[in-house]
């Protein structure tokens, strides 16, 4: 019943009213574009999956991996058709990988989709939009594949191709006993910092010996004591494919931020690993590797983009550059300067030879001709050779037009002309993709075929281009090598169907046929355009433009753009049976004054495409002379302009009033400006033109008498321009002497002020009007009045800017400063907050008391809950230090003391002295400031330790929003610049608890090594260093991380300690950290956690489950909030990458 409701014929017509919207037409979803000249397929980016695309392309161009995966049939992996059956064992990940590889090999599309593959990973749309690290994905994907292939013949696929082993040896210098440990690897991680290249990094790892001596001795079980020893590492087993991950991301401990190493880092195209192997007698050929893939990262450590350089081992792609593609050695650049450009046959043939399958739409052929020689066919060749299509028909021995004359190809042999024209072209396109000789070989022996695959785009590159990825923000991140001994069979060369299973071959062949049918259908639909026919007999000419009269003035016509102008004219004749005489078709355009005719269409043999008629074009149908008896001027030079004219009003008696009148008038663009006076019936007068100044003010300029003969267009007037006319009989000028009226400025229009004060108010935010000269005091006063707050308390409130995190930023301290001086723009948001700002050069510092133990009753009685509740830090006056280990939940808390106002030039000792005068602290018996330890407050807990009492607060870099907490000391403390303050806690055996914390001062002048810390802790507790274990506590995660000394070693050649220390990952040790100490003589349990840690983790788990339920709603809100152009969501925390796999064991 409704089957053809939305189907349209190529010449369907509908009525439409003048000025209404265009008639809607439905179009089918456009099929994916075919492959480009490289004959290789890219992968579409789902939003943030460039890292996945680069790794998948690398695996796809690893033929041994691809064919090993293809060798697993449905009897082992199952079938995708059974994936919804509950009892069926369908291994989705390898099945979807097989299907994706088959599409990349055989499906004629520019880019394949990974949607089905990521669905098999268990990823949501949120995961597909999030960026991840490709090195992390490589390990996780291999692990998921191993789990998916358990119980099949491919269970050892990853192990067989990528698995290698490293042997670590430690040799005692005294007894020569050797301790050996073997490690497996799927990829090698190579350092980038302070290393010149990959071979230098491998030399440091597998050639240099590292020794234990001095304060870093090795415990030899044979000798039973600490001795000097040497450690070395070697490659014991080499995999067929070697993956190298480059450590380009590091952490700057001075700036306390991550950064990317962009220095020059070289890597060879061919590499010999024999110097790094354990077996020195190995043959060199067994250790030779060739580079075949480079995954490149462009950007910084918080985001960027991945693409990949890949070597086409099997020559599946067409490795030809744009300037080398012509098979007939016709160089188009040379043709432009030669006589051969006069022969259109040579030019058109050369263009077709550059196209894939020598096939191109006729419309694109004309466009490419224009791009190549800089002149269109109509201007250069039409006079002597006729229209382009007629020229192609006349040279049928060279060119073959399709049945609808929409596409053209080169005639190659009589056999190809024997079948139907359209069918022959499509069959050639399919055979070119699937035949073994699809990609031509170009000097394959001497010139490797490299491609740059950037998501959907594939471009050929030369081998020397790899050197550009040695350094910079766009540089190599992962390297993939293959053994030189791995040789490919001859039948695999340029044969994308090699070893592809039959069921996938059949599926891809069927998909290619379906794609070709959809493209043909889409091409037919996309050739239809909507034309708006304006019928001349239903129009009248008035006030300088054409205006419709009646409801039949505008008709909508759907027409095929591949047909000629003569066909269009004939169709309109058939539709308009009442038409008599000549019919002229002209391109018209709606302007503010009405409809105007721009160009008359000539050349009935030209197609609408060649005439460059666009979808929705307005066509005026008339006799070419007059409309309604009025002669019509056509062309852009006489386009009607709608101009606003200001002049003095006249009374009914003809006298001039003291009031301006504004009236619109229409003038042709080529009319003289003096015609304005005639339109107002003013015999003589002065004409002023409005022009805008850079400041935004209006500037009226008088037109000299000699310039009134110039046209509107010459004087720069356009639609909507304003003109002021003054009668010469007026004695007084309408303008001031300087000729300026300031009707408006480009100043600040309004600001938004948000109320963050604790007092109740009807409104949370208001808009306040302002200019660039408005001062902060006026803004604050207006906001308080608009928010209907208590004005008598206004002096105790202040304004702050909103920072990029949408939180309170820097305060506006100078209330006499203007918004222009403070760089405040229109639309900015200011925050009204409680608290009076200190004078310039002073700081207002909230002071807290750090209570390491449970507060006593006496202290609780002096705590003012009101002051805590109204403290600047919020509602956490007695907030517990989350995550402190032990049995009691309130083991460490911050108690609010009050605020102090102090100069930035004061010292830390002055701050302590002033804090001692606060009422809650004055009752504490603190002898002197030397008995107080000061910390900054970060995330509701002590943060940075403030060391030197004589240091000025300005040098402490506290800032205007800093808070300080104080801690009582039993004795005076004088910490040096190399002293680190740690809180050590001795574990109580068998009860999963710790003794009270004790302060440990550790001198790090000799380095932040684990062995140095262990010796300090052992000495502090009078225990043997080999009988203790230590761990750092992470309270935000409720986790303990054991500190091992295995990687704190000394190189033999450099004789200095390596850069990595306890300051770096994964410990990030600093002042105030909690160190758990375990006595192995009494406690052999490897666990460091407490019962409170278990409770904290359970609460975190419940909180995560609660957040998960609302995550979808938050994502929808976020996408709506940032859908406006120019807005981007703030960077969120990094999320772990995972792939979900069913159990097949």
């Amino acid at each position: 019943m409704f089957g053809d409701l939305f189907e349209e014929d190529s010449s369907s017509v509908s009525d439409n009213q003048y000025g209404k919207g265009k008639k809607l037409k439905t179009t089918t979803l456009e099929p994916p574009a075919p492959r480009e000249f490289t004959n290789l397929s890219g992968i579409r980016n789902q939003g943030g999956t460039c890292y996945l695309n680069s790794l998948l392309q690398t695996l796809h161009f690893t033929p041994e991996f691809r064919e090993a995966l293809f060798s697993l049939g449905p009897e082992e992996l199952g079938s995708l058709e059974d994936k919804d059956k509950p009892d069926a064992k369908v291994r989705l990940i390898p099945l979807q990988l097989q299907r994706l590889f088959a599409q990349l090999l055989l499906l004629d599309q520019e880019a394949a989709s990974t949607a089905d593959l990521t669905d098999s990973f268990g990823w949501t749309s949120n995961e597909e939009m999030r960026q991840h690290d490709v090195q992390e994905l490589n390990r996780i994907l291999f692990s998921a594949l191993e789990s998916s292939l358990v119980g099949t013949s491919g269970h050892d696929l990853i192990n067989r191709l990528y698995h290698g082993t490293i042997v670590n040896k430690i040799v005692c210098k005294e007894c020569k006993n050797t301790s050996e440990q073997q490690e497996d690897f799927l990829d090698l991680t190579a350092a980038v910092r302070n290393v010149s290249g990959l071979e230098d990094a491998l030399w440091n790892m597998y050639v240099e010996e590292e020794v234990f001596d001095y304060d870093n001795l090795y415990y030899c079980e044979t000798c039973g004591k600490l001795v000097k020893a040497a450690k070395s590492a070697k490659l014991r087993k080499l995999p067929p494919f070697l993956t190298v991950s480059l450590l380009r991301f590091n952490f700057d401990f001075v700036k306390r931020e991550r950064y990317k190493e962009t220095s020059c880092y070289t890597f060879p195209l061919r590499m010999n690993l024999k110097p790094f192997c354990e077996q020195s007698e190995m043959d060199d050929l067994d250790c030779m590797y060739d580079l075949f893939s480079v995954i490149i990262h462009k950007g910084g450590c918080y985001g960027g983009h991945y693409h990949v350089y890949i070597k086409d081992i099997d020559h599946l792609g067409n490795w030809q550059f744009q300037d080398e593609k012509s098979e007939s050695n016709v160089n188009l650049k040379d043709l432009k300067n030669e006589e051969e450009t006069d022969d259109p046959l040579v030019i058109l043939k050369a263009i077709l030879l550059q196209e894939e399958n020598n096939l191109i739409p006729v419309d694109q052929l004309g466009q490419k001709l224009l791009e190549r020689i800089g002149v269109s066919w109509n201007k250069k060749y039409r006079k002597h050779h006729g229209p382009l299509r007629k020229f192609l028909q006349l040279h049928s021995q060279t060119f073959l037009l399709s049945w609808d004359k929409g596409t053209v190809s080169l005639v190659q042999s009589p056999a190809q002309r024997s079948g139907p024209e359209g069918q022959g072209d499509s069959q050639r396109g399919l055979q070119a993709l699937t035949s073994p000789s699809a990609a031509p070989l170009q000097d394959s022996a001497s010139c490797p075929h490299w491609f740059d695959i950037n998501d959907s785009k594939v471009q050929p590159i030369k081998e020397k281009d790899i050197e550009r990825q040695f350094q910079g923000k766009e540089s190599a991140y992962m390297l993939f090598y293959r053994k030189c001994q791995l040789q490919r069979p001859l039948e695999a060369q340029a044969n994308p169907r090699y070893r592809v299973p039959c069921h996938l071959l059949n599926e891809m062949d069927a998909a290619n046929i379906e794609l070709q049918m959809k493209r043909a259908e889409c091409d037919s639909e996309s050739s239809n355009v909507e034309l708006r026919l304006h019928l001349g007999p239903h129009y009248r000419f008035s006030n300088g433009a054409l205006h419709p009269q009646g409801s039949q003035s505008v008709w909508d016509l759907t027409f095929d753009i591949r047909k000629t102008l003569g066909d269009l004219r004939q169709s309109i004749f058939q539709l308009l049976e009442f038409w008599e005489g000549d019919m002229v078709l002209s391109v018209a355009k709606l302007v503010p004054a009405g409809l105007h005719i721009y160009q008359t269409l000539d050349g009935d043999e030209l197609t609408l495409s060649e005439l460059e008629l666009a979808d929705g074009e307005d066509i005026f149908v008339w006799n070419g002379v007059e409309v309604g008896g009025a002669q019509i001027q056509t062309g852009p030079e006489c386009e009607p302009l709608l101009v606003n004219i200001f002049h003095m009003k006249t009374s009914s008696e003809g006298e001039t009033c003291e009031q301006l009148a504004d009236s619109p008038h229409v003038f042709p663009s080529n009319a003289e400006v003096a015609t304005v006076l005639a339109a107002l019936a003013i015999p003589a007068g002065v004409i002023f033109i409005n022009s805008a100044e850079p400041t935004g003010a209006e500037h009226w300029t008088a037109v000299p008498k000699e310039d009134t003969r110039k046209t509107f267009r010459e004087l720069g007037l356009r639609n909507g321009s304003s003109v002021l006319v003054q009668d010469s009989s007026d004695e007084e000028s309408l303008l001031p002497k300087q000729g300026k009226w300031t009707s408006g400025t480009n100043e600040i229009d309004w600001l938004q002020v948000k109320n963050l004060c604790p007092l109740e108010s009807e409104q949370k935010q208001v808009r306040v009007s302002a200019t660039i000269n408005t001062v902060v005091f006026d803004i604050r006063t207006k906001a308080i009045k608009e928010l209907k707050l208590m004005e008598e308390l206004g002096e105790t409130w202040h304004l702050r800017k909103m920072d990029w995190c949408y939180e309170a930023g820097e305060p506006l301290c100078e209330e006499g400063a203007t918004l222009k001086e403070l760089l405040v723009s229109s639309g900015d948001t200011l925050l009204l907050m409680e608290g009076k700002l200190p004078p310039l050069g002073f700081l207002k510092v909230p002071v807290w008391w750090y209570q390491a133990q449970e507060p006593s009753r006496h202290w609780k009685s002096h705590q003012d809950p009101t002051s805590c509740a109204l403290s600047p830090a919020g509602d956490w006056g007695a907030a517990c230090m989350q995550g402190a280990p032990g049995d009691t939940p309130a083991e460490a808390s911050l108690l609010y003391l009050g605020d102090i106002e102090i100069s930035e030039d004061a010292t830390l000792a002055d701050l302590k002295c002033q804090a001692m005068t606060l009422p809650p602290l004055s009752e504490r018996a603190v002898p002197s400031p030397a008995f107080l330890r000061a910390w900054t407050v970060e995330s509701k807990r002590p943060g940075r330790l403030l060391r030197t009492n004589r240091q000025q607060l300005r040098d402490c870099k506290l800032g205007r929003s800093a808070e300080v907490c104080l801690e009582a000391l039993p004795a005076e403390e004088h910490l040096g610049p190399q002293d680190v303050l740690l809180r050590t806690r001795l574990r109580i055996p068998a009860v999963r608890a710790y003794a009270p914390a004790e302060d440990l001062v550790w001198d790090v002048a000799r380095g932040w090594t684990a062995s140095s810390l262990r010796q300090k802790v052992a000495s502090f507790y009078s225990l043997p260093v080999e009988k203790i274990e230590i761990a750092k506590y992470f309270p935000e995660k409720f986790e303990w991380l054991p500190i091992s000394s295995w990687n704190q070693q000394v190189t033999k050649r450099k004789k200095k300690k390596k850069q990595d220390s306890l300051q770096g990952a994964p410990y990030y040790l600093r002042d105030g950290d909690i160190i758990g100490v375990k006595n192995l003589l009494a406690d052999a349990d490897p666990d460091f956690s407490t019962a409170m840690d278990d409770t904290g983790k359970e609460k975190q788990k419940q909180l995560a489950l609660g957040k998960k339920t609302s995550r979808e709603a938050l994502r929808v809100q976020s996408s709506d909030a940032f859908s406006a152009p120019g807005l981007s969501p703030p960077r969120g925390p990094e999320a772990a990458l995972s792939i979900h796999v069913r159990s097949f064991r």
Side-chain angles (χ1 to χ4, degrees), residues 352-371:
L352 281 169
L353 285 172
Q354 289 188 327
E355 296 301 316
E356 185 177 0
N357 305 326
N358 302 336
L359 179 70
I360 190 175
V362 177
D363 301 333
Q364 293 184 20
L365 181 62
Q367 183 64 28
K368 286 185 178 292
L369 178 69
L370 175 63
E371 293 174 359

Side-chain angles (χ1 to χ4, degrees), residues 16 225 462 507 509 546 594 610 679 729 736 845 856 904 1047 1049:
N16 196 355
K225 61 179 181 180
K462 296 180 180 179
E507 180 183 348
D509 290 344
L546 294 165
E610 292 171 334
S729 63
V845 182
S856 64
E904 292 181 337
N1047 60 349
Q1049 301 152 1

Side-chain angles (χ1 to χ4, degrees), residues 675-695:
T675 56
V676 173
L677 300 176
L680 297 178
I682 298 176
V686 181
I687 300 174
F688 297 88
I689 295 177
N690 182 307
S691 60
E693 291 185 341
T695 59

